[in-house]
Amino acid sequence: TSSGKVRGIFTSETVGPCSGDGSDWGQSWTTCRPQLHAAGVGTYLFEDACENSALRPTTVTEETVYEELQALGSVFGVDVQPIINDMKADFDQAAGLVSSSMSGAPLKTVWLDCVGRCCEVPEGHEEQVFVGGGTGAPNMLMQEAGLSNVFSDRSGNWVCVNVSDVIAADPDVIVVVDAAWDTAIDKIKWLYNDEEFCHLDVLRAARFVSIPFSATTLSPRNGPAALDLAVAALHVRTGSQTESRESGVSSFSPYFLQYHTSCQLCPLSMQYVVYDDATDSAQNYNLCTTTSTTPQPVTVTNCGVSNTLASAPTRAITMNQGATEFLLAMGLEDSMVGTAYLDDAIWPKHAAAYATIPVLSSSYPNETHIMAQNPDFIVASYSSAFRAQYTTSSGKVRGIFTDETIGPCSGDG
């Protein structure tokens, strides 16, 4: 890449060189499908991701999903019609559910995929968030679920939009994508820490639906996911109770959200929430006891190096076991996006919490893996966790960070 990072999979050691028709697309990268074919390996790429964007469907619809199924069915000699029939039934039920329950009134919906790191804007410009656009699978799922996509007029599977555009839309429901590398609850906490978002009814009433990332791309899960989107959206909007299809799409317990937002700028107040969770209660959580509603900057001087934090870290990485167990002992597993380098088994009393945190490496992770987690704080037991890369007298490369991410590492501190 332009920053010197290595991307891609195949090289001339296996099927390359990857060039020529079917490989060159006028980009900085090429693909190796013709070369795989020549090596006796067939390939199939979903059409909404075609290398040549002109070959992608203008708009992804349920028919797009069926066509992909039929194509793969023909390859493997499988009758996919029963799968298609089941999906159609789910799609039909989903659309009718919202329409009848809302008496034809639309449920304005924002599909929130990513905040804080996916949309680069020049310094001084308004912050943007990554949302479902009007031509991809997210829009298809919302449409099939009977939801009205606020950004259906924006071309693309996903698009960057100004934060003010989301606020001006005043959505009824926010669908939040959940992924191991970017959890739904992290995005929700980000919303509750923004003064402008705090004024929206959708936050006051905690009208959030979680969808796993794996259900947001073309797959046989799309039908059940659309139905569960409708069910969950109605649940948080009206308090209705309908059995789900277990696609992974769900609402949150309001008590869970109250707990996770209790230390944010505008903690959730249950008085506006119209739904409940019979399997949960407020007694299961110890709410934040801070009396300040505005995060206060904290300056920390540690080992002669100072830095100022605008608010408490929410995306921490720990390296080395002592650092990890320190944060777990403080109950901060929900504020940790990664951990690395255990010396031995984690202290059993913290094993359950530790199991919820992504393990980046059994030793020190590389800088790319660290920065990909978008951390806002790193805690380590040893200075080796912060070293710039260097070569020892025996020719071995040590250290982690280079100029490709945060370097050069020189100067005071």
Side-chain angles (χ1 to χ4, degrees):
T1 66
S2 58
S3 61
K5 295 180 180 179
V6 177
R7 294 287 187 263
I9 300 172
F10 300 103
T11 69
S12 297
E13 294 182 8
T14 52
V15 299
C18 300
S19 58
D21 290 344
S23 290
D24 290 314
W25 304 101
Q27 303 289 336
S28 58
W29 45 261
T30 62
T31 54
C32 301
R33 293 179 65 198
Q35 292 74 25
L36 285 165
H37 298 169
V41 181
T43 69
Y44 187 89
L45 175 64
F46 287 172
E47 290 192 352
D48 67 332
C50 282
E51 299 97 335
N52 181 352
S53 59
L55 299 177
R56 298 174 187 174
T58 304
T59 302
V60 172
T61 67
E62 65 175 285
E63 293 300 327
T64 310
V65 188
Y66 305 151
E67 289 167 5
E68 301 285 21
L69 267 171
Q70 289 163 342
L72 287 172
S74 68
V75 170
F76 290 95
V78 175
D79 179 12
V80 298
Q81 195 57 46
I83 303 173
I84 292 174
N85 291 341
D86 287 344
M87 293 180 68
K88 284 185 174 180
D90 286 336
F91 282 139
D92 291 344
Q93 185 180 349
L97 188 63
V98 170
S99 178
S100 61
S101 299
M102 296 299 295
S103 301
L107 274 179
K108 293 187 299 179
T109 305
V110 168
W111 181 289
L112 186 61
D113 189 275
C114 180
V115 301
R117 65 188 182 89
C118 294
C119 298
E120 294 185 8
V121 295
E123 187 174 352
H125 286 63
E126 182 180 349
E127 189 169 15
Q128 294 189 325
V129 292
F130 205 44
V131 302
T135 58
N139 182 70
M140 180 269 290
L141 286 169
M142 284 185 278
Q143 189 174 54
E144 295 296 338
L147 308 178
S148 177
N149 180 9
V150 165
F151 297 107
S152 62
D153 61 335
R154 309 291 178 93
S155 180
N157 290 6
W158 298 273
V159 295
C160 290
V161 300
N162 290 337
V163 164
S164 60
D165 291 340
V166 179
I167 293 168
D170 192 18
D172 297 303
V173 175
I174 296 178
V175 176
V176 190
V177 176
D178 188 45
W181 62 89
D182 189 14
T183 65
I185 194 60
D186 278 347
K187 288 186 272 280
I188 290 173
K189 289 167 68 174
W190 183 88
L191 293 172
Y192 278 94
N193 223 29
D194 184 283
E195 184 175 1
E196 295 301 318
F197 276 112
C198 287
H199 298 302
L200 295 182
D201 286 343
V202 69
L203 263 70
R204 290 174 177 167
R207 297 198 292 262
F208 298 102
V209 174
S210 173
I211 184 167
F213 182 82
S214 56
T216 69
T217 57
L218 301 185
S219 79
R221 208 195 307 193
N222 293 156
L227 179 54
D228 285 347
L229 270 177
V231 168
L234 286 172
H235 175 63
V236 300
R237 180 66 179 82
T238 69
S240 65
Q241 298 282 352
T242 307
E243 186 177 355
S244 73
R245 292 295 307 277
E246 299 183 353
S247 67
V249 178
S250 65
S251 57
F252 295 90
S253 159
Y255 308 107
F256 174 82
L257 293 177
Q258 183 183 40
Y259 164 70
H260 279 285
T261 63
S262 60
C263 274
Q264 304 305 97
L265 181 61
C266 53
L268 173 62
S269 173
M270 299 295 282
Q271 70 187 95
Y272 299 109
V273 180
V274 300
Y275 60 96
D276 199 0
D277 184 341
T279 67
D280 202 6
S281 72
Q283 284 67 46
N284 291 332
Y285 304 94
N286 293 317
L287 301 185
C288 177
T289 57
T290 180
T291 57
S292 174
T293 58
T294 303
Q296 298 297 313
V298 175
T299 298
V300 178
T301 300
N302 164 243
C303 294
V305 179
S306 297
N307 69 312
T308 298
L309 308 173
S311 59
T314 60
R315 299 187 61 80
I317 288 176
T318 57
M319 293 201 277
N320 312 116
Q321 190 154 347
T324 300
E325 292 183 355
F326 260 125
L327 266 63
L328 293 178
M330 291 187 281
L332 292 174
E333 59 269 18
D334 289 332
S335 296
M336 297 169 66
V337 295
T339 183
Y341 215 145
L342 285 188
D343 302 307
D344 47 57
I346 200 73
W347 193 3
K349 71 183 293 184
H350 298 311
Y354 177 78
T356 67
I357 305 165
V359 176
L360 307 184
S361 176
S362 59
S363 56
Y364 284 135
N366 62 46
E367 60 182 338
T368 302
H369 205 175
I370 292 171
M371 301 309 291
Q373 312 310 311
N374 193 32
D376 58 7
F377 203 70
I378 299 176
V379 187
S381 302
Y382 307 106
S383 64
S384 51
F386 299 109
R387 285 181 189 166
Q389 278 193 10
Y390 65 99
T391 303
T392 66
S393 58
S394 62
K396 294 182 179 180
V397 176
R398 293 286 186 263
I400 299 175
F401 298 100
T402 71
D403 294 357
E404 292 183 8
T405 54
I406 58 172
C409 300
S410 59
D412 291 341

